[in-house]
Every structure is written in structure tokens, then in C-alpha cells.
């Protein structure tokens, strides 16, 4: 062995793989510095949405003096560049924000299909539902249930969809559809029919299934959730029509506004957006669970 070269000594025989449970020194040191996802502490943002709203809510984890060695919270995920949807970002059009929770917020959609087309967005920077921590998922579900009750009280059912493809920040689209327009089955059939026409494999998945069980972080996908809880899922492998969700809902079979399938054709003035946002806040207030905190 003394006469052998170092390279010969460390050379592995054929068909040998690395131990999958062993970390290199560098990886181990990095792992110690990054806390687990559940240790994340949400950022809370306070600003008045209008003159009537000024009720502040206490942010969790403020009483750090009670602990001699408070746990250092992990910073929320940071966007790689300017983001139009991170609430702390200067790019956010805050006049469209209509409600703020602890981990998520609601905003009117820019160029919405209708006046009450809203988005559920995480306050921190997350790309998709798959990447959300447990507490953020919990509040997303709370917003979804509250919006369903809100729209039901106004004679509408809501359709939710997410396109995790060529997007940097999670946007859960929530579009209300008047009950008089069509049934839930009509909406489901419209999505399946148009998917088949465009050779998109849209599969029905169990109502109570978790998208995290189907898609891995970073995977591209599109999914629809109906008011009954039924879900349709497509794993994007190559190309995907960016306006697919809007095209289906704008079609003659549902909202019958095909000219609004592209949001860029639906933009209105800032003054009109402010008026719509103010109206939505007022209408939504009786259902606002954040005021109970």
C-alpha cells in the first residue's frame, strides 16, 4: 500500500454507489444553519386599506422578552428579483389589496374576468402551493372556505385554479360564476372538453387529495378546484397555454365573455380599480375572519 498512488488507493470498484445517508462536511454544516420549514415565523404587515379600516392585529411571537434566548426566526423566502406579488415589494399595486391575513392576502385580479375576480396570495415569496408551509396552507384553506360562503351569499359559485408555469409567485385565481349561468358539472365538462381539444391531459383527482402528494416542489402543473371540492390536475411537461383557465371560464359555455380570455384586454383605469376594491372590501367585511383575531 505504501507503494500505491493515492488515486489508486481511493479508487472504487465497479457497481459501487455512495452511501445515501452520509452527508459531506460542507452539507452537514449548511444543514445546521437552515432551520426546518415549520420554524418559519410569518411576517405581518400593517397598513390601512381605507379610512374606515384601522384595526390592528397583534403579530404572533412579539413577546420575545419572556424568553432569555428567543429562537431566531428564519427569514421568509426571498424572490430572485422584483416581484409584483410579494406584499413587502414596492412593485405591488397596493390599491388592489382588499384583505390581509397573517400569512396570506386577497387582491383584486388585474384585468379580472369580472369585478369580483380575486387572487389568494402568500405574503412571503412562494412559487406554488406545493412549496407552502403548513401554517400558510391552513390560512389559504380558510380564505377558500370564506370566499365560497361569501360568493354563495351573492348567488354565485367560485372556481379556483393555479398555473405553476412561467410564474414566479403563487397566484390562486378565484373566479365567481353566477348560479344562473351553469351548473358545476357544466364547468367541469367545459374544462375537460377544452383540454381534450388542446391535447391537454386533465385528470380528476380525489377531492381531499393534497397537491403536495402529486407534484414535487419545482414541478410545473395546472389544477382546477370546483365549488364541490372536485379537482382536475395536469402535469405540464413541455408547453402549456398561459390563458387556458381564463379561456375556459370566459367561453360561451360558462361566462360567455370570450373577448376577456386575455387579461391584457381587460385592463381599466386605476380610479376604476380603486372603486372596485373599495366595494369588495365593504361587501366582504361581514365574512372577514381576520377581524376576529
Amino acid at each position: 500500500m505504501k507503494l500505491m498512488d493515492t488515486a489508486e488507493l481511493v479508487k472504487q470498484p465497479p457497481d459501487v454507489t455512495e452511501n445515501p445517508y452520509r452527508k459531506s462536511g460542507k452539507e452537514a454544516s449548511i444543514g445546521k444553519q437552515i432551520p426546518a420549514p415549520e420554524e418559519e415565523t410569518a411576517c405581518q404587515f400593517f397598513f390601512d386599506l381605507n379610512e374606515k379600516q384601522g384595526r390592528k392585529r397583534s403579530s404572533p411571537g412579539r413577546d420575545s422578552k419572556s424568553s432569555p434566548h428567543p429562537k431566531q426566526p428564519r427569514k421568509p423566502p426571498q424572490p430572485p428579483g422584483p416581484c409584483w406579488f410579494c406584499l413587502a415589494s414596492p412593485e405591488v399595486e397596493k390599491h388592489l389589496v382588499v384583505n390581509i391575513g397573517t400569512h396570506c392576502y386577497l387582491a383584486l385580479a388585474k384585468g379580472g374576468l369580472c369585478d369580483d375576480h380575486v387572487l389568494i396570495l402568500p405574503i412571503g415569496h412562494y412559487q406554488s402551493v406545493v412549496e407552502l408551509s403548513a401554517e400558510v396552507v391552513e390560512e389559504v384553506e380558510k380564505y377558500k372556505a370564506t370566499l365560497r360562503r361569501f360568493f354563495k351569499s351573492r348567488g354565485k359559485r367560485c372556481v379556483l385554479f393555479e398555473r405553476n408555469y412561467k410564474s414566479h409567485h403563487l397566484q390562486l385565481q378565484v373566479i365567481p360564476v353566477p348560479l344562473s349561468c351553469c351548473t358545476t358539472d357544466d364547468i367541469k365538462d367545459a374544462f375537460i372538453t377544452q383540454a381534450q381539444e388542446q391535447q391537454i391531459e386533465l385528470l380528476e383527482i380525489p377531492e381531499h387529495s393534497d397537491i403536495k402528494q402529486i407534484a414535487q416542489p419545482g414541478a410545473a402543473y395546472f389544477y382546477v378546484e370546483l365549488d364541490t371540492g372536485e379537482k382536475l390536475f395536469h402535469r405540464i411537461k413541455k408547453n402549456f397555454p398561459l390563458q387556458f383557465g381564463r379561456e375556459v371560464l370566459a367561453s360561451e359555455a360558462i361566462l360567455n365573455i370570450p373577448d376577456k380570455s386575455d387579461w391584457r384586454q381587460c385592463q381599466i383605469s386605476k380610479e376604476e380599480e380603486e372603486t372596485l376594491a373599495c366595494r369588495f372590501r365593504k361587501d366582504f367585511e361581514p365574512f372577514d375572519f381576520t377581524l376576529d383575531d
Side-chain angles (χ1 to χ4, degrees), residues 37 126-133 162 164 210-221 233 235:
Y126 296 91
Q127 184 172 331
S128 69
V129 164
V130 175
E131 298 179 4
L132 297 180
S133 57
E162 178 198 0
N164 183 34
D210 188 343
I211 299 296
K212 292 185 178 185
Q213 298 171 328
I214 303 169
Q216 297 296 319
Y221 63 84
F233 179 87
R235 191 185 305 279

Side-chain angles (χ1 to χ4, degrees), residues 41 59-73:
T41 301
S59 177
R62 291 204 166 206
D63 190 16
S64 58
K65 295 180 181 178
S66 59
S67 174
H69 300 290
K71 186 185 294 182
Q72 292 298 317

Side-chain angles (χ1 to χ4, degrees), residues 185-204:
D185 285 340
D186 292 332
I187 297 172
K188 182 179 177 181
D189 290 342
F191 270 102
I192 293 172
T193 300
Q194 291 206 35
Q196 290 173 342
E197 289 174 358
Q198 299 189 45
Q199 297 183 325
I200 295 170
E201 188 180 26
L202 201 57
L203 304 173
E204 187 167 356

Side-chain angles (χ1 to χ4, degrees), residues 218-231:
Y221 63 84
F222 173 87
Y223 94 95
V224 184
E225 187 172 339
L226 305 175
D227 60 309
T228 55
E230 295 172 273
K231 297 176 184 177

